[in-house]
Structures are given as C-alpha cells and as structure tokens.
Amino acid sequence: MTIKSHHNVGGLPDKMNLKIVEPLRALFKDEVREVGAALGLPDHILHRHPFPGPGLGIRILGDVTPHKVDLLQRADAIFINGLKEHNLYDAVWQAGVMLLPIQSVGVMGDERTYEQVVALRAVTSVDGMTADWAHLPYEFLAEVSNRIINQVRGINRVVYDISSKPPATIEWE
C-alpha cells in the first residue's frame, strides 16, 4: 500500500510504502478467543458476542438512514440487555436485531399504525461456521418484543428468526 500525502511535513517523504499488519486475520472467532484467554483478557471482553465488521448498518436491510440507525440501536440494546438480565447472554453465541425493509399495520391505543418490523436473531455455535437458532424461552421473547414495541416508537412488530446456518447465514446481509 502506498500512501501519498498532500504536504511534505517535517521533511517526511511524500510517499510512504506501508504494509497493513493483521496478525489475527487468518484466525476464526473461537481461535481469537483462545488467544485472548492466553493474554488474560477479562471475561466480559473475551466472551462478548461477535459483532459485524461493517457495524449495525449491515443489519439494516435497504437504505441506511439516521432514523433507521436510531431505531435499530434502541431495539438492539433492549434485546442484548434483556439477554444479560435473564442470564441468557452466555448461552447464545451471537445475537442481534435486523431492521427489515417492510412496514406493518398495527394498533396503538385506538389508532392504526404503519411502522417498521424487526427480526430478532440469536444463534448457538462453536466457531460460527455452522449455527443453530437459539431456543430462547417464549416468556423472554414475549417480554423483549413488548419492550421493543412499547419503548421504540416506530417499531410495531417483532419476529424471531429460527433459521439455522446453513442454509441461512448468521447475519442477513
């Protein structure tokens, strides 16, 4: 990789031949955790769920807007915090919320609504190469669904993804 600066600063050359060093790039997520354990990383970091490289934007199907990012961040926080509150976080390998590119009719009070739909996704796995959907308790799913719908204005329907990998992938995009 060659980086060309627009200004010659402090006698540095205009071009610098640099190489990106990614020592963990070839490792799978379970192997990265082994390295982290060997380094003595704390459990809350070591056992954090994998997070998509492109960030939450990958979990917004369709156009990404500030409003959609806000909806997704709030719904995702409710889901992840709910897993932690119910001691389910460590039983799940990865979890997240997907904001779907559809709207759905709902009822809030005496009014009809036409708002966003989100899908909850939680999987169990060893290495992420294959995964089964997490069999979360119905009571937990009902509570999280109600919290998202009642606390995140703009979402009126929550579904749960029960697809395994393969044929599905963990992320939707």
Side-chain angles (χ1 to χ4, degrees):
M1 168 190 292
T2 300
I3 298 178
K4 181 170 173 66
S5 64
H6 294 288
H7 305 287
N8 186 315
V9 180
L12 295 175
D14 283 339
K15 289 187 180 181
M16 297 171 35
N17 290 318
L18 301 176
K19 181 178 178 185
I20 295 175
V21 177
E22 296 181 79
L24 303 180
R25 183 179 183 169
L27 300 180
F28 291 106
K29 291 172 181 129
D30 60 321
E31 295 168 325
V32 172
R33 285 189 173 137
E34 286 181 36
V35 171
L39 293 172
L41 292 178
D43 282 347
H44 74 277
I45 293 174
L46 191 60
H47 297 291
R48 183 175 184 261
H49 291 177
F51 191 77
L56 282 181
I58 196 86
R59 294 182 177 167
I60 298 172
L61 281 65
D63 294 340
V64 176
T65 66
H67 174 68
K68 289 179 181 179
V69 170
D70 178 60
L71 290 178
L72 183 60
Q73 285 175 326
R74 294 189 298 147
D76 193 71
I78 290 169
F79 185 36
I80 299 301
N81 289 334
L83 288 168
K84 291 175 181 177
E85 291 165 11
H86 288 266
N87 296 315
L88 295 167
Y89 185 84
D90 291 333
V92 171
W93 193 78
Q94 185 172 351
V97 177
M98 314 299 160
L99 184 66
L100 305 183
I102 59 172
Q103 291 185 304
S104 175
V105 174
V107 177
M108 299 290 270
D110 294 333
E111 302 282 323
R112 283 194 176 272
T113 61
Y114 193 63
E115 296 177 334
Q116 297 294 143
V117 178
V118 294
L120 307 180
R121 179 84 163 130
V123 297
T124 58
S125 182
V126 174
D127 57 9
M129 300 303 288
T130 62
D132 190 23
W133 61 279
H135 297 244
L136 297 174
Y138 295 139
E139 297 79 16
F140 168 75
L141 292 171
E143 179 184 320
V144 167
S145 174
N146 286 334
R147 286 166 90 181
I148 290 171
I149 291 169
N150 290 325
Q151 295 176 22
V152 184
R153 184 93 173 127
I155 296 174
N156 70 357
R157 188 173 304 264
V158 176
V159 299
Y160 188 56
D161 181 350
I162 60 169
S163 306
S164 293
K165 175 186 179 181
T169 58
I170 296 173
E171 298 292 345
W172 281 36
E173 289 276 31

